[in-house]
Short mmCIF file of all heavy atoms in Angstrom, two decimals:
data_model
loop_
_atom_site.label_atom_id
_atom_site.label_comp_id
_atom_site.label_asym_id
_atom_site.label_seq_id
_atom_site.Cartn_x
_atom_site.Cartn_y
_atom_site.Cartn_z
N MET A 169 91.85 64.94 107.71
CA MET A 169 91.33 65.97 108.57
C MET A 169 91.16 65.37 109.97
O MET A 169 91.96 64.58 110.37
CB MET A 169 90.00 66.43 107.97
CG MET A 169 89.51 67.74 108.40
SD MET A 169 90.36 69.07 107.58
CE MET A 169 89.76 70.37 108.53
N PHE A 170 90.14 65.77 110.66
CA PHE A 170 89.91 65.27 112.01
C PHE A 170 88.79 64.24 111.99
O PHE A 170 87.80 64.38 111.29
CB PHE A 170 89.50 66.39 112.95
CG PHE A 170 90.61 67.34 113.27
CD1 PHE A 170 90.62 68.62 112.78
CD2 PHE A 170 91.66 66.94 114.08
CE1 PHE A 170 91.64 69.49 113.08
CE2 PHE A 170 92.69 67.80 114.38
CZ PHE A 170 92.68 69.08 113.88
N GLY A 171 88.95 63.23 112.82
CA GLY A 171 87.89 62.25 113.01
C GLY A 171 87.04 62.65 114.20
O GLY A 171 87.27 63.65 114.87
N LEU A 172 86.05 61.84 114.50
CA LEU A 172 85.15 62.13 115.60
C LEU A 172 85.87 62.05 116.95
O LEU A 172 85.67 62.90 117.82
CB LEU A 172 83.96 61.16 115.57
CG LEU A 172 82.87 61.41 116.60
CD1 LEU A 172 82.29 62.80 116.43
CD2 LEU A 172 81.79 60.35 116.48
N SER A 173 86.76 61.09 117.10
CA SER A 173 87.46 60.95 118.39
C SER A 173 88.43 62.11 118.62
O SER A 173 88.55 62.60 119.74
CB SER A 173 88.21 59.62 118.43
OG SER A 173 89.17 59.56 117.38
N GLU A 174 89.08 62.60 117.54
CA GLU A 174 89.99 63.74 117.71
C GLU A 174 89.22 65.00 118.08
O GLU A 174 89.67 65.80 118.91
CB GLU A 174 90.79 63.99 116.43
CG GLU A 174 91.87 62.96 116.17
CD GLU A 174 91.36 61.77 115.37
OE1 GLU A 174 90.17 61.75 115.02
OE2 GLU A 174 92.17 60.87 115.11
N LEU A 175 88.05 65.19 117.48
CA LEU A 175 87.24 66.36 117.82
C LEU A 175 86.75 66.31 119.26
O LEU A 175 86.69 67.32 119.95
CB LEU A 175 86.06 66.48 116.85
CG LEU A 175 86.43 66.92 115.43
CD1 LEU A 175 85.19 66.91 114.55
CD2 LEU A 175 87.06 68.28 115.44
N ALA A 176 86.38 65.10 119.73
CA ALA A 176 85.92 64.95 121.11
C ALA A 176 87.06 65.26 122.09
O ALA A 176 86.84 65.96 123.09
CB ALA A 176 85.40 63.54 121.33
N ILE A 177 88.25 64.79 121.79
CA ILE A 177 89.40 65.07 122.66
C ILE A 177 89.70 66.57 122.65
O ILE A 177 89.97 67.16 123.70
CB ILE A 177 90.62 64.24 122.21
CG1 ILE A 177 90.37 62.76 122.49
CG2 ILE A 177 91.89 64.71 122.90
CD1 ILE A 177 91.41 61.84 121.89
N LEU A 178 89.64 67.19 121.49
CA LEU A 178 89.88 68.62 121.38
C LEU A 178 88.85 69.42 122.17
O LEU A 178 89.20 70.38 122.87
CB LEU A 178 89.85 69.03 119.90
CG LEU A 178 90.21 70.47 119.61
CD1 LEU A 178 91.65 70.77 119.98
CD2 LEU A 178 89.98 70.76 118.14
N LEU A 179 87.60 69.02 122.12
CA LEU A 179 86.54 69.68 122.88
C LEU A 179 86.77 69.54 124.37
O LEU A 179 86.61 70.52 125.13
CB LEU A 179 85.18 69.10 122.50
CG LEU A 179 83.97 69.72 123.18
CD1 LEU A 179 83.84 71.19 122.82
CD2 LEU A 179 82.71 68.97 122.81
N ILE A 180 87.17 68.38 124.84
CA ILE A 180 87.46 68.17 126.27
C ILE A 180 88.62 69.05 126.71
O ILE A 180 88.57 69.67 127.78
CB ILE A 180 87.73 66.68 126.54
CG1 ILE A 180 86.44 65.87 126.36
CG2 ILE A 180 88.29 66.48 127.95
CD1 ILE A 180 86.64 64.38 126.37
N VAL A 181 89.65 69.13 125.89
CA VAL A 181 90.81 69.98 126.24
C VAL A 181 90.39 71.44 126.32
O VAL A 181 90.80 72.16 127.23
CB VAL A 181 91.94 69.76 125.22
CG1 VAL A 181 93.04 70.79 125.39
CG2 VAL A 181 92.51 68.36 125.35
N VAL A 182 89.56 71.89 125.41
CA VAL A 182 89.10 73.28 125.42
C VAL A 182 88.28 73.55 126.68
O VAL A 182 88.44 74.59 127.32
CB VAL A 182 88.29 73.60 124.14
CG1 VAL A 182 87.56 74.91 124.26
CG2 VAL A 182 89.21 73.62 122.93
N ILE A 183 87.42 72.63 127.04
CA ILE A 183 86.60 72.81 128.25
C ILE A 183 87.48 72.89 129.48
O ILE A 183 87.26 73.72 130.37
CB ILE A 183 85.56 71.67 128.36
CG1 ILE A 183 84.49 71.83 127.29
CG2 ILE A 183 84.91 71.67 129.74
CD1 ILE A 183 83.53 70.66 127.20
N VAL A 184 88.49 72.05 129.56
CA VAL A 184 89.38 72.06 130.74
C VAL A 184 90.18 73.35 130.78
O VAL A 184 90.33 73.98 131.83
CB VAL A 184 90.30 70.82 130.72
CG1 VAL A 184 91.40 70.94 131.76
CG2 VAL A 184 89.48 69.56 130.95
N LEU A 185 90.72 73.77 129.63
CA LEU A 185 91.56 74.97 129.61
C LEU A 185 90.76 76.25 129.84
O LEU A 185 91.20 77.14 130.57
CB LEU A 185 92.31 75.07 128.28
CG LEU A 185 93.40 74.04 128.04
CD1 LEU A 185 93.99 74.22 126.65
CD2 LEU A 185 94.49 74.17 129.09
N VAL A 186 89.62 76.36 129.23
CA VAL A 186 88.83 77.58 129.33
C VAL A 186 88.03 77.60 130.62
O VAL A 186 87.88 78.64 131.24
CB VAL A 186 87.91 77.72 128.09
CG1 VAL A 186 86.98 78.91 128.23
CG2 VAL A 186 88.74 77.87 126.84
N GLY A 187 87.54 76.50 130.99
CA GLY A 187 86.71 76.42 132.19
C GLY A 187 85.25 76.33 131.82
O GLY A 187 84.80 76.95 130.85
N ILE A 188 84.52 75.58 132.59
CA ILE A 188 83.11 75.35 132.30
C ILE A 188 82.30 76.63 132.48
O ILE A 188 81.37 76.89 131.74
CB ILE A 188 82.57 74.21 133.20
CG1 ILE A 188 83.27 72.92 132.82
CG2 ILE A 188 81.07 74.07 133.04
CD1 ILE A 188 82.93 71.75 133.71
N ARG A 189 82.70 77.48 133.40
CA ARG A 189 81.94 78.71 133.66
C ARG A 189 82.08 79.72 132.52
O ARG A 189 81.16 80.47 132.25
CB ARG A 189 82.41 79.35 134.95
CG ARG A 189 82.09 78.54 136.16
CD ARG A 189 82.54 79.21 137.41
NE ARG A 189 82.34 78.33 138.56
CZ ARG A 189 82.73 78.61 139.77
NH1 ARG A 189 83.38 79.72 140.01
NH2 ARG A 189 82.51 77.76 140.75
N LYS A 190 83.22 79.75 131.87
CA LYS A 190 83.45 80.74 130.82
C LYS A 190 83.03 80.24 129.44
O LYS A 190 83.01 81.01 128.49
CB LYS A 190 84.92 81.14 130.78
CG LYS A 190 85.36 81.89 132.02
CD LYS A 190 86.77 82.36 131.89
CE LYS A 190 87.18 83.10 133.14
NZ LYS A 190 88.54 83.62 133.03
N LEU A 191 82.70 78.99 129.31
CA LEU A 191 82.36 78.42 128.02
C LEU A 191 81.12 79.06 127.37
O LEU A 191 81.16 79.36 126.17
CB LEU A 191 82.18 76.91 128.14
CG LEU A 191 82.18 76.14 126.83
CD1 LEU A 191 83.52 76.34 126.11
CD2 LEU A 191 81.95 74.67 127.08
N PRO A 192 80.02 79.33 128.09
CA PRO A 192 78.87 79.99 127.45
C PRO A 192 79.22 81.38 126.89
O PRO A 192 78.78 81.74 125.80
CB PRO A 192 77.83 80.09 128.55
CG PRO A 192 78.18 79.02 129.50
CD PRO A 192 79.68 78.92 129.46
N GLY A 193 80.01 82.14 127.62
CA GLY A 193 80.42 83.46 127.12
C GLY A 193 81.29 83.35 125.88
O GLY A 193 81.18 84.14 124.95
N LEU A 194 82.16 82.34 125.87
CA LEU A 194 83.01 82.12 124.72
C LEU A 194 82.19 81.72 123.49
O LEU A 194 82.42 82.24 122.40
CB LEU A 194 84.03 81.01 125.04
CG LEU A 194 85.02 80.65 123.94
CD1 LEU A 194 85.96 81.82 123.69
CD2 LEU A 194 85.81 79.43 124.36
N ALA A 195 81.22 80.86 123.69
CA ALA A 195 80.36 80.44 122.58
C ALA A 195 79.51 81.62 122.08
O ALA A 195 79.31 81.79 120.88
CB ALA A 195 79.45 79.30 123.01
N ARG A 196 79.05 82.46 123.00
CA ARG A 196 78.25 83.62 122.63
C ARG A 196 79.07 84.61 121.80
O ARG A 196 78.61 85.12 120.77
CB ARG A 196 77.73 84.31 123.89
CG ARG A 196 76.65 85.34 123.65
CD ARG A 196 76.10 85.87 124.97
NE ARG A 196 75.61 84.79 125.82
CZ ARG A 196 76.09 84.51 127.05
NH1 ARG A 196 77.06 85.22 127.56
NH2 ARG A 196 75.59 83.51 127.76
N SER A 197 80.30 84.86 122.22
CA SER A 197 81.14 85.79 121.46
C SER A 197 81.54 85.20 120.11
O SER A 197 81.64 85.93 119.12
CB SER A 197 82.38 86.17 122.27
OG SER A 197 83.20 85.04 122.47
N ALA A 198 81.74 83.90 120.04
CA ALA A 198 82.05 83.27 118.75
C ALA A 198 80.85 83.37 117.81
O ALA A 198 81.01 83.65 116.62
CB ALA A 198 82.44 81.81 118.96
N GLY A 199 79.66 83.19 118.32
CA GLY A 199 78.45 83.32 117.51
C GLY A 199 78.26 84.74 117.01
O GLY A 199 77.90 84.97 115.85
N THR A 200 78.52 85.71 117.87
CA THR A 200 78.42 87.11 117.47
C THR A 200 79.43 87.44 116.38
O THR A 200 79.12 88.12 115.41
CB THR A 200 78.64 88.04 118.68
OG1 THR A 200 77.70 87.69 119.70
CG2 THR A 200 78.46 89.49 118.30
N SER A 201 80.64 86.93 116.53
CA SER A 201 81.68 87.17 115.53
C SER A 201 81.30 86.56 114.19
O SER A 201 81.49 87.19 113.14
CB SER A 201 83.01 86.59 116.00
OG SER A 201 83.42 87.20 117.20
N LEU A 202 80.76 85.36 114.20
CA LEU A 202 80.33 84.72 112.96
C LEU A 202 79.19 85.49 112.30
O LEU A 202 79.15 85.63 111.08
CB LEU A 202 79.91 83.28 113.21
CG LEU A 202 81.04 82.30 113.44
CD1 LEU A 202 80.49 80.93 113.82
CD2 LEU A 202 81.90 82.19 112.20
N ARG A 203 78.26 86.00 113.11
CA ARG A 203 77.15 86.77 112.58
C ARG A 203 77.65 88.05 111.90
O ARG A 203 77.20 88.41 110.81
CB ARG A 203 76.19 87.13 113.71
CG ARG A 203 74.78 87.23 113.28
CD ARG A 203 73.80 87.38 114.46
NE ARG A 203 73.97 86.34 115.46
CZ ARG A 203 74.18 86.57 116.76
NH1 ARG A 203 74.24 87.80 117.22
NH2 ARG A 203 74.31 85.57 117.60
N ILE A 204 78.60 88.73 112.53
CA ILE A 204 79.17 89.94 111.95
C ILE A 204 79.92 89.62 110.66
O ILE A 204 79.80 90.33 109.66
CB ILE A 204 80.10 90.63 112.96
CG1 ILE A 204 79.28 91.20 114.12
CG2 ILE A 204 80.93 91.73 112.30
CD1 ILE A 204 80.13 91.69 115.28
N LEU A 205 80.67 88.53 110.66
CA LEU A 205 81.41 88.13 109.47
C LEU A 205 80.48 87.82 108.31
O LEU A 205 80.72 88.24 107.17
CB LEU A 205 82.27 86.90 109.80
CG LEU A 205 83.15 86.38 108.67
CD1 LEU A 205 84.22 87.39 108.32
CD2 LEU A 205 83.78 85.07 109.08
N LYS A 206 79.38 87.13 108.58
CA LYS A 206 78.41 86.81 107.53
C LYS A 206 77.77 88.08 106.97
O LYS A 206 77.59 88.22 105.76
CB LYS A 206 77.32 85.88 108.05
CG LYS A 206 77.75 84.46 108.20
CD LYS A 206 76.60 83.61 108.67
CE LYS A 206 77.00 82.17 108.87
NZ LYS A 206 75.87 81.35 109.33
N SER A 207 77.41 89.02 107.84
CA SER A 207 76.77 90.25 107.36
C SER A 207 77.75 91.08 106.53
O SER A 207 77.36 91.68 105.52
CB SER A 207 76.22 91.07 108.52
OG SER A 207 77.27 91.57 109.32
N GLU A 208 79.02 91.12 106.91
CA GLU A 208 80.01 91.85 106.13
C GLU A 208 80.25 91.19 104.78
O GLU A 208 80.41 91.87 103.77
CB GLU A 208 81.33 91.95 106.90
CG GLU A 208 81.26 92.86 108.10
CD GLU A 208 81.00 94.31 107.73
OE1 GLU A 208 81.51 94.77 106.69
OE2 GLU A 208 80.28 94.97 108.48
N ALA A 209 80.24 89.86 104.74
CA ALA A 209 80.42 89.15 103.47
C ALA A 209 79.24 89.42 102.54
O ALA A 209 79.41 89.62 101.34
CB ALA A 209 80.57 87.65 103.72
N ARG A 210 78.03 89.44 103.08
CA ARG A 210 76.86 89.75 102.27
C ARG A 210 76.92 91.18 101.74
O ARG A 210 76.57 91.44 100.58
CB ARG A 210 75.58 89.58 103.09
CG ARG A 210 75.22 88.15 103.35
CD ARG A 210 73.93 88.03 104.14
NE ARG A 210 73.74 86.68 104.59
CZ ARG A 210 73.30 86.35 105.80
NH1 ARG A 210 73.00 87.29 106.67
NH2 ARG A 210 73.16 85.09 106.14
N ALA A 211 77.38 92.12 102.57
CA ALA A 211 77.49 93.51 102.13
C ALA A 211 78.53 93.65 101.02
O ALA A 211 78.32 94.40 100.07
CB ALA A 211 77.86 94.40 103.32
N MET A 212 79.63 92.91 101.13
CA MET A 212 80.64 92.97 100.08
C MET A 212 80.11 92.40 98.77
O MET A 212 80.37 92.94 97.70
CB MET A 212 81.90 92.22 100.51
CG MET A 212 82.70 92.95 101.57
SD MET A 212 84.13 92.04 102.12
CE MET A 212 85.09 91.94 100.63
N LYS A 213 79.35 91.30 98.84
CA LYS A 213 78.76 90.73 97.64
C LYS A 213 77.76 91.69 97.02
O LYS A 213 77.71 91.86 95.80
CB LYS A 213 78.06 89.40 97.96
CG LYS A 213 79.00 88.25 98.15
CD LYS A 213 78.22 86.97 98.39
CE LYS A 213 79.15 85.81 98.63
NZ LYS A 213 78.40 84.57 98.91
N ARG A 214 76.96 92.33 97.86
CA ARG A 214 75.96 93.28 97.38
C ARG A 214 76.64 94.47 96.72
O ARG A 214 76.23 94.92 95.65
CB ARG A 214 75.07 93.73 98.53
CG ARG A 214 73.94 94.63 98.12
CD ARG A 214 73.01 94.97 99.28
NE ARG A 214 73.75 95.47 100.42
CZ ARG A 214 73.74 94.91 101.63
NH1 ARG A 214 73.02 93.84 101.85
NH2 ARG A 214 74.43 95.42 102.62
N ASP A 215 77.70 95.00 97.32
CA ASP A 215 78.43 96.13 96.74
C ASP A 215 79.11 95.73 95.45
O ASP A 215 79.17 96.51 94.50
CB ASP A 215 79.47 96.66 97.73
CG ASP A 215 78.83 97.34 98.92
OD1 ASP A 215 77.63 97.68 98.84
OD2 ASP A 215 79.53 97.54 99.93
N GLY A 216 79.61 94.53 95.36
CA GLY A 216 80.24 94.04 94.15
C GLY A 216 79.24 93.90 93.02
O GLY A 216 79.54 94.18 91.86
N ALA A 217 78.03 93.47 93.33
CA ALA A 217 77.01 93.30 92.31
C ALA A 217 76.52 94.66 91.80
O ALA A 217 76.19 94.82 90.64
CB ALA A 217 75.82 92.50 92.86
N GLU A 218 76.50 95.66 92.66
CA GLU A 218 76.07 96.99 92.26
C GLU A 218 77.13 97.69 91.42
O GLU A 218 76.83 98.53 90.60
CB GLU A 218 75.76 97.84 93.49
CG GLU A 218 74.53 97.39 94.25
CD GLU A 218 74.33 98.16 95.54
OE1 GLU A 218 75.16 99.03 95.83
OE2 GLU A 218 73.37 97.87 96.24
N ALA A 219 78.38 97.34 91.62
CA ALA A 219 79.46 98.02 90.92
C ALA A 219 79.60 97.56 89.48
O ALA A 219 80.16 98.28 88.66
CB ALA A 219 80.77 97.79 91.67
N GLU A 220 79.13 96.40 89.10
CA GLU A 220 79.31 95.86 87.76
C GLU A 220 78.62 96.65 86.65
O GLU A 220 79.22 96.90 85.63
CB GLU A 220 78.87 94.40 87.72
CG GLU A 220 79.82 93.48 88.43
CD GLU A 220 79.35 92.04 88.38
OE1 GLU A 220 78.46 91.74 87.56
OE2 GLU A 220 79.87 91.23 89.15
N PRO A 221 77.37 97.11 86.79
CA PRO A 221 76.71 97.75 85.66
C PRO A 221 77.19 99.16 85.33
O PRO A 221 76.67 99.79 84.45
CB PRO A 221 75.24 97.78 86.06
CG PRO A 221 75.14 97.30 87.42
CD PRO A 221 76.47 96.85 87.87
N ARG A 222 78.18 99.69 85.99
CA ARG A 222 78.66 101.04 85.73
C ARG A 222 79.25 101.14 84.33
O ARG A 222 79.82 100.21 83.80
CB ARG A 222 79.72 101.45 86.75
CG ARG A 222 79.14 101.59 88.14
CD ARG A 222 80.20 102.04 89.10
NE ARG A 222 79.64 102.10 90.45
CZ ARG A 222 80.35 102.27 91.52
NH1 ARG A 222 81.65 102.38 91.44
NH2 ARG A 222 79.77 102.31 92.69
N ALA A 223 79.11 102.32 83.76
CA ALA A 223 79.61 102.56 82.41
C ALA A 223 81.13 102.66 82.41
O ALA A 223 81.74 103.13 83.37
CB ALA A 223 79.02 103.84 81.87
N VAL A 224 81.72 102.23 81.32
CA VAL A 224 83.16 102.31 81.15
C VAL A 224 83.44 103.47 80.21
O VAL A 224 82.89 103.53 79.11
CB VAL A 224 83.73 101.00 80.58
CG1 VAL A 224 85.22 101.12 80.33
CG2 VAL A 224 83.42 99.85 81.52
N TYR A 225 84.26 104.39 80.64
CA TYR A 225 84.57 105.55 79.84
C TYR A 225 85.84 105.30 79.04
O TYR A 225 86.82 104.76 79.54
CB TYR A 225 84.74 106.78 80.72
CG TYR A 225 83.47 107.15 81.43
CD1 TYR A 225 83.25 106.79 82.75
CD2 TYR A 225 82.47 107.84 80.76
CE1 TYR A 225 82.08 107.11 83.40
CE2 TYR A 225 81.29 108.17 81.39
CZ TYR A 225 81.10 107.81 82.71
OH TYR A 225 79.94 108.13 83.33
N GLU A 226 85.83 105.74 77.80
CA GLU A 226 86.98 105.56 76.93
C GLU A 226 87.84 106.82 76.97
O GLU A 226 87.34 107.93 76.84
CB GLU A 226 86.51 105.31 75.50
CG GLU A 226 87.61 104.99 74.54
CD GLU A 226 87.07 104.68 73.17
OE1 GLU A 226 86.07 103.95 73.08
OE2 GLU A 226 87.66 105.17 72.20
N VAL A 227 89.12 106.63 77.15
CA VAL A 227 90.04 107.76 77.21
C VAL A 227 90.67 107.92 75.83
O VAL A 227 91.27 106.99 75.29
CB VAL A 227 91.14 107.52 78.27
CG1 VAL A 227 92.13 108.65 78.26
CG2 VAL A 227 90.51 107.34 79.63
N LYS A 228 90.51 109.10 75.27
CA LYS A 228 91.09 109.38 73.96
C LYS A 228 92.44 110.03 74.17
O LYS A 228 92.57 110.97 74.94
CB LYS A 228 90.19 110.29 73.15
CG LYS A 228 88.88 109.66 72.77
CD LYS A 228 88.07 110.58 71.91
CE LYS A 228 86.75 109.92 71.53
NZ LYS A 228 85.95 110.81 70.68
N GLN A 229 93.42 109.54 73.45
CA GLN A 229 94.75 110.12 73.54
C GLN A 229 94.97 111.02 72.35
O GLN A 229 94.72 110.65 71.21
CB GLN A 229 95.81 109.03 73.58
CG GLN A 229 95.74 108.17 74.81
CD GLN A 229 96.84 107.13 74.83
OE1 GLN A 229 97.53 106.93 73.85
NE2 GLN A 229 97.01 106.48 75.95
N THR A 230 95.42 112.20 72.63
CA THR A 230 95.72 113.14 71.55
C THR A 230 97.20 113.05 71.24
O THR A 230 98.02 112.86 72.15
CB THR A 230 95.35 114.57 71.96
OG1 THR A 230 96.06 114.91 73.14
CG2 THR A 230 93.85 114.68 72.22
N PRO A 231 97.57 113.20 69.99
CA PRO A 231 98.99 113.14 69.67
C PRO A 231 99.71 114.35 70.25
O PRO A 231 99.14 115.42 70.36
CB PRO A 231 99.02 113.17 68.13
CG PRO A 231 97.69 113.69 67.72
CD PRO A 231 96.74 113.38 68.83
N PRO A 232 100.95 114.16 70.66
CA PRO A 232 101.68 115.29 71.24
C PRO A 232 101.92 116.36 70.19
O PRO A 232 102.09 116.08 69.01
CB PRO A 232 102.98 114.67 71.72
CG PRO A 232 103.11 113.41 70.96
CD PRO A 232 101.73 112.97 70.63
N GLU A 233 101.87 117.58 70.64
CA GLU A 233 102.10 118.71 69.73
C GLU A 233 103.57 118.75 69.36
O GLU A 233 104.45 118.58 70.19
CB GLU A 233 101.70 120.00 70.41
CG GLU A 233 100.24 120.07 70.75
CD GLU A 233 99.89 121.35 71.50
OE1 GLU A 233 100.71 122.28 71.52
OE2 GLU A 233 98.81 121.40 72.07
N SER A 234 103.81 119.01 68.09
CA SER A 234 105.21 119.15 67.68
C SER A 234 105.59 120.61 67.82
O SER A 234 104.83 121.51 67.53
CB SER A 234 105.40 118.65 66.24
OG SER A 234 104.59 119.42 65.37
N GLY A 235 106.78 120.82 68.28
CA GLY A 235 107.27 122.17 68.48
C GLY A 235 108.77 122.18 68.52
O GLY A 235 109.42 121.15 68.35
N PRO A 236 109.35 123.34 68.75
CA PRO A 236 110.80 123.42 68.74
C PRO A 236 111.44 122.63 69.87
O PRO A 236 112.56 122.13 69.73
CB PRO A 236 111.10 124.90 68.86
CG PRO A 236 109.85 125.54 69.38
CD PRO A 236 108.72 124.63 68.97
N ASP A 237 110.78 122.50 70.99
CA ASP A 237 111.37 121.79 72.12
C ASP A 237 110.93 120.33 72.19
O ASP A 237 111.36 119.59 73.06
CB ASP A 237 111.03 122.51 73.43
CG ASP A 237 109.54 122.71 73.61
OD1 ASP A 237 108.89 123.05 72.62
OD2 ASP A 237 109.06 122.54 74.74
N ARG A 238 110.06 119.89 71.28
CA ARG A 238 109.62 118.49 71.27
C ARG A 238 110.08 117.79 69.99
O ARG A 238 109.84 118.30 68.89
CB ARG A 238 108.10 118.40 71.35
CG ARG A 238 107.59 118.91 72.68
CD ARG A 238 106.16 118.52 72.81
NE ARG A 238 105.66 119.04 74.07
CZ ARG A 238 104.67 118.52 74.72
NH1 ARG A 238 104.05 117.50 74.22
NH2 ARG A 238 104.28 119.03 75.85
N PRO A 239 110.71 116.62 70.13
CA PRO A 239 111.11 115.92 68.91
C PRO A 239 109.92 115.30 68.21
O PRO A 239 108.88 115.03 68.83
CB PRO A 239 112.07 114.84 69.43
CG PRO A 239 111.67 114.65 70.85
CD PRO A 239 111.13 115.97 71.33
N LEU A 240 110.05 115.03 66.95
CA LEU A 240 108.97 114.44 66.17
C LEU A 240 108.85 112.98 66.39
O LEU A 240 109.52 112.16 66.63
CB LEU A 240 109.15 114.73 64.68
CG LEU A 240 108.96 116.20 64.32
CD1 LEU A 240 109.29 116.38 62.85
CD2 LEU A 240 107.56 116.65 64.59
#
């Protein structure tokens, strides 16, 4: 994966490319996105847990009627 020196170089490159003035806004939007992602993941887990106790209905199949137009 990445070591500490690679992460430091990557951070410096991001600061230079994005600019020091825009970095707080970028971090703020990334934090907001992570917060939304976490809340959606929790909602999906909660909905999944609620869906499990539902009853399962059994479908009964009736044999086809025999008639002149249906083979046996």
Side-chain angles (χ1 to χ4, degrees):
M169 200 78 190
F170 289 109
L172 184 59
S173 60
E174 287 89 0
L175 288 176
I177 292 171
L178 185 65
L179 182 63
I180 291 170
V181 169
V182 168
I183 289 172
V184 169
L185 290 177
V186 174
I188 295 175
R189 293 181 186 175
K190 293 185 180 182
L191 196 61
L194 181 67
R196 193 174 304 119
S197 65
T200 304
S201 299
L202 285 174
R203 211 172 307 126
I204 291 170
L205 182 66
K206 284 182 182 180
S207 67
E208 290 296 324
R210 287 181 191 138
M212 287 177 63
K213 283 183 182 178
R214 184 175 51 239
D215 291 343
E218 291 174 0
E220 288 180 15
R222 293 182 183 169
V224 176
Y225 296 99
E226 185 177 317
V227 177
K228 293 183 180 181
Q229 295 182 350
T230 57
E233 297 176 14
S234 60
D237 55 319
R238 294 192 182 206
L240 292 175

